[in-house]
Amino acid sequence: MKRKTIPSRASGRTAAKRGKQSASPSAAPDESPAPAQASDSDGTAADAFVALLRGVNVAGAKPVRMPALAALFRDEGFTSPATYIQSGNVVFARPAAHPVPAAPRSLASHIAAAVERDFGFTVPVLVLARDHLRAAVAENPFLGIAGVAEKQLHVTFLADPLDSRTVPKLDASAQLDAEKSNIDLERDMYCVAESRQAVFIFTPNGYGRTKLNNNAIERASGAILSMKNEAPTAADEKLAIADRTAALVDCKKRIVDLAAEKSRAEALALELANERALLTKEAAALRLTLAAVDADVHAASAAHDALTARCALIEKGIANAIATEYDPLVSLVNPLREKHSMPPISLLQDDIEMANSRKVGSLPFIKN
């Protein structure tokens, strides 16, 4: 899907808000794993991502309705956006031809600017590739520990990796060791992911009471942008949404393919119909030609019959003339010729044969 320009949804907002295009300080890590790909509606490859908006719909501050947020993603040229409750989390696909680069950091900056433009406030945005989110869920070390409930688990994603000076600022005694031997089901604990761009948190007394919240991690890490994720069950639901989104994109591709096949079949049917009409027209012309030829043959046959009948009448008239006029004349003339010692006159043999064969010819002449 190619878009020369990305339309704004801010028509119902003030011109000042529409004019804001400054990039947000938030961004997603470019070091994320390569995004999984699906097929976009036009048949091209589409990358699947999850966008996490921090601080929206919290105690009435920075309200964002999810249908409006999904519409913003569509208007920005992304496909198949799907939101999760009122969290501000959006699963979406980026078509291969999209003008914004596929790097999560570039996508996050673009989305943050669009949110500021359309909704009038700035929010940190973190964009993760689908496989990055899936890998983070699978890596959570607290999963499978006896006595740990999934609703007690959270993940904080970071825009930049934690450096060696950051982790010591957190409570070291609350950090889960590699053997998980220091697990304490009564206190808050955390573990830094191998990528150092995510912190897994265990909060037995609820996230609202933990000291390992986003603010604490930001203070310890030098105000690095972070985003709290829901428990793994909610993350699994996001992955399922991503999978359904990819399946929906594939379904759209099949629909487009079928529509193209239908168009080709309709074009072929139209071509065949045109050929049939042309052949029908030529056949009608041939039938008219044959009818005209038949009429000419019939007229020629009738003319031939009329000519034959006329010739017969002429021949009959000649025979009658010979019998009634020429023969008596010869009978009168020959005695006179004999009297004067002249040879008798007679019909030429050719004339006689011609008369006997009923051929059309000149009248007989007298042979001296």
Side-chain angles (χ1 to χ4, degrees):
M1 177 178 65
K2 297 182 179 179
R3 299 167 65 97
K4 295 182 179 178
T5 57
I6 301 177
S8 169
R9 295 178 52 258
S11 58
R13 308 186 186 280
T14 63
K17 291 181 181 178
R18 286 198 302 268
K20 292 181 180 180
Q21 296 293 339
S22 59
S24 170
S26 60
D30 285 332
E31 293 80 3
S32 302
Q37 287 191 336
S39 296
D40 196 22
S41 59
D42 62 0
T44 59
D47 301 330
F49 295 92
V50 178
L52 309 176
L53 279 64
R54 182 180 175 188
V56 300
N57 298 329
V58 178
K62 297 182 178 180
V64 175
R65 297 188 63 183
M66 295 301 100
L69 183 59
L72 180 146
F73 274 74
R74 283 191 293 269
D75 291 346
E76 292 303 310
F78 303 113
T79 57
S80 306
T83 59
Y84 177 74
I85 54 175
Q86 297 297 312
S87 63
N89 299 339
V90 184
V91 177
F92 66 96
R94 174 198 168 276
H98 198 280
V100 179
R105 187 180 299 274
S106 300
L107 293 170
S109 297
H110 180 83
I111 293 168
V115 170
E116 181 181 4
R117 179 196 67 216
D118 282 14
F119 293 99
F121 46 76
T122 301
V123 294
V125 177
L126 189 67
V127 173
L128 303 173
R130 180 176 63 176
D131 289 346
H132 186 182
L133 179 61
R134 189 187 298 276
V137 173
E139 186 185 351
N140 195 325
F142 293 100
L143 286 173
I145 297 178
V148 174
E150 288 186 348
K151 66 180 181 179
Q152 299 170 325
L153 301 181
H154 306 270
V155 183
T156 296
F157 291 102
L158 308 175
D160 298 293
L162 293 171
D163 58 30
S164 59
R165 297 168 298 175
T166 298
V167 177
K169 295 181 182 180
L170 298 174
D171 186 354
S173 64
Q175 185 172 8
L176 184 68
D177 60 25
E179 293 76 21
K180 306 180 184 180
S181 59
N182 65 334
I183 184 67
D184 186 348
L185 299 180
E186 300 299 325
R187 64 173 297 185
D188 297 340
M189 301 195 72
Y190 72 92
C191 181
V192 179
E194 290 184 7
S195 65
R196 306 186 71 81
Q197 288 187 252
V199 179
F200 304 104
I201 304 171
F202 168 58
T203 59
N205 299 313
Y207 187 83
R209 299 181 180 181
T210 185
K211 294 182 179 180
L212 297 173
N213 55 28
N214 286 346
N215 293 331
I217 295 175
E218 285 182 345
R219 286 193 299 269
S221 60
I224 295 177
L225 174 66
S226 61
M227 177 61 64
K228 172 184 163 295
N229 193 16
E230 292 78 18
T233 51
D236 290 339
E237 290 184 21
K238 286 182 180 178
L239 293 175
I241 291 175
D243 291 336
R244 289 196 295 271
T245 299
L248 178 61
V249 172
D250 289 338
C251 183
K252 287 182 178 179
K253 179 182 179 299
R254 289 195 294 271
I255 291 175
V256 171
D257 291 341
L258 289 175
E261 191 68 27
K262 179 182 178 183
S263 297
R264 287 193 293 270
E266 290 176 347
L268 179 60
L270 180 60
E271 183 179 352
L272 291 175
N274 291 336
E275 281 193 30
R276 180 180 178 183
L278 181 61
L279 291 175
T280 301
K281 184 177 180 180
E282 291 180 356
L286 287 175
R287 283 194 293 269
L288 292 176
T289 303
L290 290 175
V293 170
D294 289 341
D296 290 344
V297 170
H298 185 270
S301 178
H304 178 269
D305 292 342
L307 182 59
T308 301
R310 183 172 179 82
C311 288
L313 290 176
I314 291 173
E315 291 173 356
K316 185 177 180 181
I318 292 172
N320 290 334
I322 291 173
T324 58
E325 297 180 12
Y326 188 75
D327 287 347
L329 180 60
V330 169
S331 299
L332 292 176
V333 170
N334 277 339
L336 295 175
R337 291 178 67 87
E338 290 179 1
K339 182 176 180 181
H340 296 281
S341 301
M342 297 176 63
I345 61 174
S346 63
L347 292 176
L348 294 175
Q349 187 65 29
D350 292 339
D351 294 332
I352 295 173
E353 292 178 356
M354 182 174 57
N356 291 336
S357 62
R358 302 177 59 83
K359 293 181 180 179
V360 178
S362 59
L363 290 175
F365 56 92
I366 299 173
K367 180 181 179 182
N368 293 327

